[in-house]
């Protein structure tokens, strides 16, 4: 009788669970049994592993073989267990020393010819292994860079099962023929899944992406964009078609600062699990930008799918931007499903197969027309929408959802002078991004000993008791609460925006004009604040 064990990782959402893979050989009729709650793709590994072992020059044991995956109560799926199953079988057959694989974590799919194919979710799998105390992992060579992002873990990248056997038995490592230059590499096919990214894309480098200077006019909206980026505040841009709402939102990623190391690991883990991590770019350093079509379902936004839920648009936009263009055209259920992640920074999805908690701390940017024809706010433009239709259209963005939006800005029609450049060219992305970085640095210094990174994350109680505005600065906000223009949540969000305005202006704490600008951008009531007040013009 032969017995060997090794380890692999099962992914539940973007979190990993270390699974012990055990192989037992007993005399009897040759058979291969796989137990431990495997799904269909994992059950098929029996045929892949047998063919890979034989085609790698090893002998397949002609005995009764049982492979167990523990803990048996955890659902397991995918082809990433192939490499661990093959190693455990070869250890039980004494082709390799069972002691050399007992403390190894192996993740990878096997082709029938013995080549090791990359799989999704390598980074969260290696993170789970490191948290469990394992220090040696074996992954496909194409994903070794992604696995190496985890500190304190020794990573071995292999191209084939033959190479792994040679390394474990101290034999000469065979050379595998690399893919000829210019030919497609079929081994990368498992990393990118068509349709897995719901309107998402990694933001371009600011030097190569669209420039904010291309937007004509819209000084008030540009100010709101800068405040949103500096404090990670949610933003609503409303106005007639052609005013530049979409142009502004598409330039928002360019003024966001680069992700920190921890944020990069979080974003990379989500994109790796979703299958949209570009090959050759193991670490995502720029904030992601996700812009789903208005026909997107609730499941595609918050996550879902057969079996265990997969990341949706809110998770793909984690630490980045979720832009909903033509927001009133989205279904009411899909929009209201955003209310929980907007408050908590994560989404919990319960399905029959299990409960998954996915990260979802994003900056929400909404763009909306005032009515179905879009001409309601234009004088003499001939809007034929009856008042009842206009009210119904605007009510598609529910009050509870809008109460979570910090900045609500009207994008005015572009004037002829602005469009032809007579009003002067606006500031470039580079100039605005520098101000945003300085404001973020001021907020980071103030929040250094707290669990929060930006002003939008500070709880309301802390804002009112620990971070005080200048004396008398909140008088106008208090009157708005008494008149019913502000809710309790609205006051907290006004305070957060006021702190961001103060950071952009270099103030130690918000003064009357900082709070007035925050109130104006939330309520839409003009407070007489000059455009150049707050953030530097």
């Amino acid at each position: 009788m032969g017995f060997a064990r090794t380890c692999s990782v099962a992914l539940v959402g973007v979190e990993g669970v270390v699974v012990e893979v055990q192989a037992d050989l007993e005399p009897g009729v040759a058979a291969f049994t796989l137990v431990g709650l495997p799904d269909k793709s994992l059950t098929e590994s029996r045929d892949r592993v047998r063919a890979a072992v034989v085609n790698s020059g090893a002998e397949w044991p002609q005995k009764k073989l049982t492979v167990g995956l523990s803990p048996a109560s955890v659902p397991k799926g995918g082809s990433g267990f192939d490499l661990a199953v093959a190693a455990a079988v070869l250890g039980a057959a004494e082709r390799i020393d069972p002691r050399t694989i007992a403390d190894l974590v192996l993740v990878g799919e096997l082709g029938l010819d013995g080549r090791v194919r990359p799989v999704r979710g390598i980074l969260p799998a290696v993170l789970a292994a490191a948290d469990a105390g394992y220090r040696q992992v074996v992954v496909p060579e194409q994903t070794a860079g992604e696995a190496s992002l985890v500190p304190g873990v020794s990573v071995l990248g292999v191209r084939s099962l033959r190479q792994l056997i040679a390394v474990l038995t101290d034999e000469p490592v065979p050379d595998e023929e690399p893919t000829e230059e210019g030919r497609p590499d079929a081994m990368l096919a498992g990393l990118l899944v068509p349709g897995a990214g719901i309107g998402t894309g990694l933001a371009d480098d600011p030097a190569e992406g669209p420039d904010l200077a291309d937007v004509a006019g819209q000084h008030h909206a540009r100010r709101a964009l800068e405040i949103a980026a500096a404090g990670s505040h949610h933003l609503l841009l409303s106005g007639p078609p052609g005013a530049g709402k979409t142009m502004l939102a598409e330039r928002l990623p360019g003024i966001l600062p680069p992700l920190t190391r921890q944020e990069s690991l979080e974003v990379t883990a989500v994109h790796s699990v979703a299958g949209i991590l570009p090959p050759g770019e193991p670490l995502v350093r720029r904030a992601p930008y996700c812009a789903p079509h208005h026909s997107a379902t609730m499941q595609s936004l918050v996550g879902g799918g057969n079996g265990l839920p997969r990341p949706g648009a809110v998770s793909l936009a984690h630490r980045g931007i979720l832009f909903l263009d033509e927001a009133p055209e989205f279904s009411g259920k899909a929009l209201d499903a955003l209310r929980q992640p907007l408050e908590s920074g994560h989404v919990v999805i319960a399905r029959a197969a299990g409960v998954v908690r996915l990260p979802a701390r994003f900056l929400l940017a909404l763009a909306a027309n005032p009515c179905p024809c879009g001409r309601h706010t234009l004088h003499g433009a001939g809007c034929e929408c009856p008042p009842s239709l206009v009210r119904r259209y605007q009510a598609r963005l529910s009050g509870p959802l809008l109460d979570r939006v910090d900045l609500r800005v009207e994008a005015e029609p572009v004037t002829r002078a602005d469009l032809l450049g007579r009003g002067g060219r606006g500031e470039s992305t580079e100039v605005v991004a520098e101000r945003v970085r300085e404001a973020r640095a001021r907020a980071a210094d103030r929040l250094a000993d707290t669990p929060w990174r930006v002003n939008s994350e500070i709880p309301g109680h802390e804002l009112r008791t620990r971070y005080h505005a200048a004396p008398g600065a909140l008088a106008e906000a208090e009157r708005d609460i008494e008149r019913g223009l502000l809710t309790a949540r609205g006051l907290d969000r006004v305070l957060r925006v006021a702190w961001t305005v103060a950071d952009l202006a270099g103030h130690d704490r918000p003064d009357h004009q900082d709070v007035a600008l925050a109130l104006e951008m939330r309520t839409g009531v003009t407070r007489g604040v000059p455009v150049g007040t707050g953030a530097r013009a």
Side-chain angles (χ1 to χ4, degrees):
M1 182 181 72
F3 178 83
R5 65 181 182 86
T6 188
C7 295
S8 190
V9 178
L11 291 178
V12 182
V14 294
E15 299 176 355
V17 179
V18 176
V19 174
E20 187 177 68
V21 181
Q22 303 170 340
D24 177 71
L25 283 174
E26 295 181 356
V29 178
F32 188 172
T33 304
L34 182 64
V35 297
L37 208 59
D39 70 351
K40 178 65 174 177
S41 61
L42 182 51
T43 302
E44 293 174 348
S45 69
R46 295 177 299 183
D47 299 319
R48 291 195 300 269
V49 169
R50 181 186 291 109
V53 168
V54 172
N55 290 327
S56 297
E59 183 179 353
W60 183 260
Q62 298 299 319
K63 296 182 180 180
K64 182 181 179 181
L65 171 62
T66 303
V67 174
L69 309 175
S70 299
S73 58
V74 176
K76 306 168 191 71
S79 55
F81 289 87
D82 289 2
L83 198 59
V85 171
V89 171
L90 293 173
E94 299 182 351
R95 174 63 178 87
I96 57 180
D97 188 348
R99 292 172 297 181
T100 62
I101 61 173
D103 296 326
L104 276 182
V105 175
L106 302 101
V107 182
E109 177 185 338
L110 285 174
L112 300 184
D113 57 355
R115 291 186 299 171
V116 180
R117 304 178 64 92
V119 294
R120 305 189 303 274
I122 288 293
L123 178 58
V126 177
L127 284 171
D131 292 342
Y134 292 89
R135 293 294 174 262
Q136 291 182 311
V137 298
V138 179
V139 299
E141 186 181 65
Q142 294 88 342
T143 58
E146 182 181 343
S148 299
L149 297 174
V150 182
V153 177
S154 175
V155 178
L156 172 63
V158 294
R159 293 186 64 88
S160 67
L161 182 60
R162 287 182 290 271
Q163 288 186 342
L164 177 62
I165 295 173
V167 171
L168 296 177
T169 57
D170 292 328
E171 298 174 358
V173 179
D175 293 330
E176 299 292 340
E177 295 183 5
T179 304
E180 295 181 12
E181 186 175 356
R183 294 188 60 185
D185 189 355
M187 301 290 284
L188 300 176
L191 289 179
L192 293 175
V193 180
I198 312 299
T200 189
L202 300 180
D204 297 327
D205 188 281
E208 302 176 358
D211 197 338
L212 195 57
D214 298 335
V215 181
Q218 302 299 350
H219 305 292
H220 200 56
R222 288 169 63 99
R223 167 65 62 77
L225 207 71
E226 183 177 341
I227 296 173
S232 192
H233 301 289
H234 306 307
L235 171 68
L236 168 64
L237 295 170
S238 58
K245 303 186 297 293
T246 303
M247 286 185 66
L248 285 164
E250 289 175 345
R251 283 148 180 80
L252 184 54
I255 62 176
L256 289 178
L259 300 175
T260 64
R261 174 74 178 186
Q262 180 59 36
E263 291 171 344
S264 293
L265 290 176
E266 295 174 7
V267 174
T268 301
V270 174
H271 283 67
S272 178
V273 169
I276 56 176
L277 189 65
E281 297 182 16
L283 185 64
V284 178
R285 293 182 173 86
R286 300 293 309 173
Y289 175 77
C290 188
H293 190 260
H294 62 257
S295 61
T297 62
M298 182 178 67
Q299 290 76 15
S300 68
L301 285 181
V302 301
N306 296 327
L308 287 174
R310 298 181 61 80
V314 297
S315 297
L316 298 177
H318 180 59
R319 300 296 180 187
I321 299 163
L322 177 63
F323 175 48
L324 303 185
D325 200 3
E326 304 293 346
E329 301 296 339
F330 283 77
S331 72
K333 289 184 177 180
L335 290 174
D336 287 337
L338 302 176
R339 287 151 56 176
Q340 177 195 357
L342 284 176
E343 287 290 324
S344 62
H346 63 267
V347 59
V348 178
I349 308 172
R351 296 290 186 269
V355 179
V356 172
R357 184 180 186 273
L358 298 170
R361 188 169 295 281
F362 55 90
L363 192 166
L364 177 64
L366 303 169
N369 293 325
C371 67
C373 75
R375 300 190 297 269
H376 178 66
T377 57
L378 299 178
H379 298 291
C383 175
E384 300 179 355
C385 301
S388 59
L389 179 60
V390 174
R391 287 195 299 269
R392 285 198 303 269
Y393 187 80
Q394 295 178 351
R396 293 182 182 179
L397 299 178
S398 66
L401 175 64
L402 290 180
D403 200 36
R404 292 166 167 82
V405 178
D406 305 341
L407 307 170
R408 309 172 192 173
V409 180
E410 184 77 21
E412 299 292 340
V414 182
T415 64
R416 182 177 60 181
D418 288 331
L419 189 60
L420 299 178
R422 297 172 187 170
R425 184 178 173 85
E427 291 178 319
S428 67
T429 294
E430 183 180 359
V431 173
V432 178
E434 180 60 29
R435 281 205 301 267
V436 170
R437 282 193 291 268
E438 292 176 0
R440 287 265 183 131
R442 292 189 185 95
D445 291 340
R446 184 172 62 251
L447 304 174
D449 299 326
T450 69
W452 314 299
R453 295 185 178 93
V454 291
N455 292 324
S456 63
E457 298 177 0
I458 306 175
H461 175 73
E462 295 289 333
L463 280 169
R464 295 187 296 271
T465 59
R466 184 173 176 181
Y467 301 100
H468 298 285
L474 297 180
E476 197 167 355
E478 294 170 357
R479 288 195 296 270
D480 282 357
I481 290 181
E482 294 176 355
R483 293 197 297 261
L485 294 177
L486 273 183
T487 63
R489 180 192 287 123
L491 176 62
D492 291 343
R493 294 188 175 275
V494 166
L495 288 174
R496 295 179 182 124
V497 173
W499 272 105
T500 300
V501 175
D503 288 334
L504 285 166
H507 299 162
D508 293 334
R509 54 179 176 170
D511 58 19
H512 171 74
Q513 287 189 326
D514 297 332
V515 176
L517 180 59
L519 281 170
E520 181 176 330
M521 289 199 168
R522 179 170 181 86
T523 63
V525 179
T526 303
R527 311 285 169 155
V529 182
V531 175
T533 302
R536 280 171 276 164

